[in-house]
Each structure stands twice: as structure tokens, then as C-alpha cells.
């Protein structure tokens, strides 16, 4: 049963700000040079319409290009984890404020040169915003820097909204890429009190939840052959976190389409225990079956916000317990610690 709680978690609504160039203390990671232009090829072979067969050379190029961005976000998430420690929280918040401000002033990530750059950016924007939101649970930042950061994050979110509304290809407009764009918009909207961004995130989430098959499988992810379950997991993460993020202002967000979110989660958990459920739908043995992939805790970090909403789901709780702590830098860091007091 979904229950109403009013805990002031970092994934909830906040507004943000702060500046300065001094490092808070030795625990603040060294600055990462902001990446302004993002130019990525596809990871996949040109003749693969399912977007499941990696081109190893292109994949390595993508990983190399994303490495400094992802390193920056991992640093933010690691620092955000300290915001729950009373002795370290203030220094952690200052570190996050300074780090994000440097990227905001540089106009980082504002030039997406290719379709694949746009598709990769949504989860990164969500991760930066989530870490910043956690810093804001500690204290507010100074006004001038807050304005710089806020304008930057809004510009990034609006860039993605425009792209998915007008340019994104049909498959990306309905799959995990759209889900991450929805989360990015909702997270930035929550931070900056931009109702239009929150609403766009809510509409995106409703569209994706309602698109699920009756068994809870996501149709666009089931087209991904041996990676169908991998991408189901990748889509469920932003869908669940967006539902949690919207919950304070839109308590019906997790209940759209007769509570179909529960079916999506139930199917995903059942498929992790028995990937053959997906094999039948995708027409290929899953990467988890062929041992090309092993389930890692970051892939199920979304279980913590789900269990906040759905407290009596024993399969979800059992899976979470077997992998805790659950952490994902794109979702704001260690979610097990973040949700500890709400369990």
C-alpha cells in the first residue's frame, strides 16, 4: 500500500545556491575541468536496429568522452553522501556548491553536438541536480552563485525538454532515454520551483508507466534483444525516482494507470530471479543468463525510494537487503543511507 509520509529527503523539493572558490577541506575532491561540448557517436553497430550490439571501438570512444563528466558526478555523489553526517555535512555542502558553481559558470554540457550526446546527458543532469539537492538539505547557498547554478540547470533541463519534444527519434522518445529526461526535468523543477518542468516530468512518467505491457514489461526495452532486461532496469530507475520526487506535490504520481508502476517493479524483480521471463519477450537469452553481465547494486538503487512508497513489498525488500548499501551517482549517491530514517 502506498502511504503518505512527509520526510524532507533530498529528492524532495529544494532551492539552491552558493559560491566561492576555496576548497572546503581536504575531503573535497580536486576540481574537474568542465566539459562544455558533448559530441558522441552511437555505441552500437550501424546495421543493428535493436540498438543492442555494441561496436567495441565506438563504445570505447563514448566511454572516453563521458569519463570526465561521470568522474565529476561520482565525486559529487560521494561528497553528497557526507551530507547525512552531522560533523561533515557543512563542508560537504560547501564542496558541492563550489564544484557545481564552477561547471555552471563555464556553461558546461550546454552544447550537445549529436543525438547521442542529448541521449547521454539526461541522466548526467539528473545526477548533478540530485547531488545539489542533497547539499541543500544542509544549508542554503549565497544568492549570486545560486542564481548562476539555477539558471544553468534550468537551461540544461529546457534543452532536453525541447529536444525530446521536437527532435528525438521515436524509440528514444518512449524508452529509458525519455525516462531519464523526465527525471532531470522533475529534479531541476523541484529545486528551482519551476512547475512547468515538474509537470513535464510528471507527464513523461505517466506516459511511460501507462505504456507498460500488462505483465509490467516495458515495450521499448523488450526490443533490445539480449540487453532487454538490462534496459528495463535502466528505465525503471528514473521512473521510480521521478514518482518519489513528485510524491509530495503530486501524491497520485505513483498510482497512475491503476497502479501500473507496481506491475513494472514486480516484473523487473521477477525477471532478475528468472531472466527467461524476458527471453520469451525479447527473443534472446539475456546478458544476465549468458554471464555477459552480473547484477550490480547501482542497478537496483531505485529500490530504496520504491520501498519508501511501497512499504510492504517483500520481494523488493528481500532484493534490497541482499545488495545493500544501494548507491547510484545518477540518483544522488547512497540511497540506502539517505532513506535510512524513513524505513
Amino acid at each position: 500500500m502506498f502511504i503518505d509520509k512527509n520526510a524532507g529527503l533530498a529528492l524532495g523539493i529544494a532551492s539552491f545556491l552558493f559560491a566561492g572558490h576555496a576548497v572546503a577541506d581536504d575531503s573535497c575532491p580536486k576540481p574537474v575541468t568542465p566539459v562544455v561540448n558533448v559530441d558522441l557517436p552511437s555505441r552500437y553497430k550501424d546495421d543493428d536496429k535493436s540498438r543492442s550490439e555494441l561496436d567495441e571501438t565506438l563504445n570505447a570512444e563514448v566511454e572516453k568522452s563521458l569519463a570526465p563528466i561521470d568522474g565529476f558526478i561520482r565525486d559529487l555523489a560521494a561528497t553528497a553522501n557526507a551530507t547525512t553526517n552531522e560533523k561533515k555535512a557543512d563542508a560537504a555542502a560547501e564542496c558541492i556548491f563550489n564544484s557545481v558553481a564552477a561547471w555552471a559558470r563555464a556553461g558546461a554540457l550546454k552544447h550537445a553536438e549529436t543525438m547521442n550526446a542529448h541521449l547521454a546527458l539526461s541522466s548526467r543532469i539528473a545526477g548533478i541536480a540530485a547531488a545539489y539537492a542533497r547539499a541543500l538539505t544542509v544549508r542554503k547557498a549565497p544568492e549570486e552563485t545560486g542564481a548562476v547554478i539555477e539558471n544553468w540547470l534550468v537551461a540544461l533541463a529546457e534543452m532536453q525538454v525541447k529536444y525530446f519534444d521536437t527532435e528525438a527519434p521515436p524509440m528514444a522518445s518512449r524508452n529509458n532515454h525519455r525516462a531519464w529526461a523526465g527525471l532531470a526535468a522533475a529534479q531541476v523543477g523541484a529545486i528551482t520551483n519551476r512547475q512547468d518542468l515538474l509537470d513535464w516530468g510528471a507527464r513523461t512518467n505517466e506516459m511511460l508507466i501507462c505504456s507498460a505491457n500488462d505483465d509490467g514489461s516495458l515495450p521499448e526495452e523488450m526490443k533490445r534483444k539480449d540487453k532487454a532486461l538490462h534496459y528495463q532496469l535502466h528505465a525503471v530507475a528514473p521512473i521510480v525516482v521521478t514518482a518519489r520526487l513528485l510524491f509530495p506535490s503530486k501524491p497520485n504520481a505513483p498510482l497512475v494507470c491503476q497502479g501500473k508502476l507496481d506491475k513494472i517493479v514486480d516484473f523487473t524483480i521477477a525477471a532478475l530471479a528468472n531472466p527467461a521471463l524476458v527471453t520469451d519477450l525479447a527473443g534472446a537469452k539475456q546478458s544476465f543468463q549468458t554471464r555477459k553481465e552480473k547484477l550490480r547494486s547501482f542497478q537496483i538503487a531505485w529500490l530504496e525510494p520504491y520501498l519508501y512508497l511501497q512499504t510492504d513489498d517483500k520481494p523488493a525488500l528481500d532484493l534490497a537487503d541482499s545488495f545493500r548499501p544501494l548507491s547510484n551517482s545518477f540518483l544522488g549517491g547512497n540511497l540506502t543511507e539517505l532513506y535510512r530514517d524513513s524505513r
Side-chain angles (χ1 to χ4, degrees):
M1 175 184 295
F2 284 99
I3 61 174
D4 187 359
K5 297 180 180 179
N6 294 307
L9 295 172
L11 290 172
I13 295 180
S15 62
F16 61 90
L17 312 126
F18 185 76
H21 299 285
V23 175
D25 62 19
D26 291 341
S27 67
C28 190
K30 293 181 179 179
V32 177
T33 302
V35 177
V36 177
N37 296 310
V38 185
D39 186 355
L40 303 175
S42 172
R43 298 175 184 268
Y44 303 102
K45 295 180 179 179
D46 286 342
D47 59 353
D48 175 29
K49 293 183 179 180
S50 73
R51 318 308 287 165
S52 62
E53 296 182 34
L54 289 175
D55 180 307
E56 297 300 335
T57 300
L58 291 175
N59 186 54
E61 183 180 335
V62 170
E63 291 297 317
K64 182 178 179 180
S65 296
L66 290 174
I69 303 171
D70 291 347
F72 173 67
I73 295 170
R74 282 193 298 270
D75 285 347
L76 286 179
T79 306
N81 292 336
T83 60
T84 56
N85 183 314
E86 185 176 351
K87 293 181 179 180
K88 298 180 179 180
D90 196 69
E94 183 176 351
C95 177
I96 292 170
F97 295 150
N98 290 339
S99 299
V100 176
W103 277 53
R105 290 192 176 97
L109 311 183
K110 290 183 74 173
H111 297 284
E113 305 291 347
T114 62
M115 174 191 76
N116 293 291
H118 277 288
L119 300 185
L121 278 178
S122 295
S123 58
R124 276 82 187 172
I125 297 166
I128 294 168
Y132 201 88
R134 291 189 67 174
L136 291 169
T137 64
V138 179
R139 63 180 170 88
K140 188 177 180 179
E143 186 175 353
E144 184 275 334
T145 298
V148 170
I149 296 173
E150 181 175 331
N151 290 339
W152 175 62
L153 280 181
V154 166
L156 292 179
E158 289 180 337
M159 175 181 75
Q160 293 300 92
V161 167
K162 180 180 179 181
Y163 176 77
F164 278 91
D165 277 348
T166 63
E167 298 180 48
M171 187 174 183
S173 296
R174 301 187 302 269
N175 70 5
N176 64 84
H177 293 297
R178 179 62 180 262
W180 282 102
L183 174 56
Q187 183 66 271
V188 174
I191 289 168
T192 61
N193 295 313
R194 280 285 299 268
Q195 190 62 46
D196 58 330
L197 293 176
L198 278 167
D199 289 345
W200 194 86
R203 289 195 300 273
T204 287
N205 232 37
E206 182 170 0
M207 175 188 74
L208 293 167
I209 292 171
C210 295
S211 76
N213 296 318
D214 289 341
D215 61 5
S217 61
L218 296 168
E220 294 302 321
E221 313 312 333
M222 293 303 103
K223 298 175 181 178
R224 306 298 289 273
K225 294 185 178 179
D226 69 320
K227 294 182 178 63
L229 180 52
H230 170 95
Y231 283 110
Q232 172 96 6
L233 278 169
H234 193 50
V236 170
I239 290 172
V240 167
V241 176
T242 299
R244 163 65 188 102
L245 179 64
L246 294 168
F247 187 60
S249 61
K250 296 178 182 291
N252 290 326
L255 302 171
V256 297
C257 284
Q258 293 76 51
K260 215 171 187 180
L261 177 61
D262 285 343
K263 288 188 176 182
I264 295 171
V265 171
D266 290 346
F267 175 84
T268 304
I269 293 172
L272 288 171
N274 180 19
L277 294 173
V278 179
T279 298
D280 294 341
L281 295 170
K285 283 190 174 183
Q286 296 304 291
S287 55
F288 296 99
Q289 292 172 289
T290 59
R291 299 190 178 182
K292 290 181 179 179
E293 183 172 11
K294 182 179 179 180
L295 182 65
R296 292 179 285 175
S297 62
F298 81 87
Q299 294 173 298
I300 53 171
W302 51 268
L303 283 169
E304 300 292 8
Y306 182 71
L307 287 165
Y308 174 91
L309 295 168
Q310 186 71 292
T311 59
D312 59 357
D313 190 318
K314 189 174 187 303
L317 180 59
D318 289 345
L319 181 59
D321 277 341
S322 66
F323 278 85
R324 279 172 170 153
L326 305 179
S327 183
N328 186 324
S329 60
F330 293 162
L331 302 179
N334 186 333
L335 299 191
T336 296
E337 179 64 22
L338 180 62
Y339 281 87
R340 179 187 59 187
D341 294 336
S342 67
R343 291 199 294 273

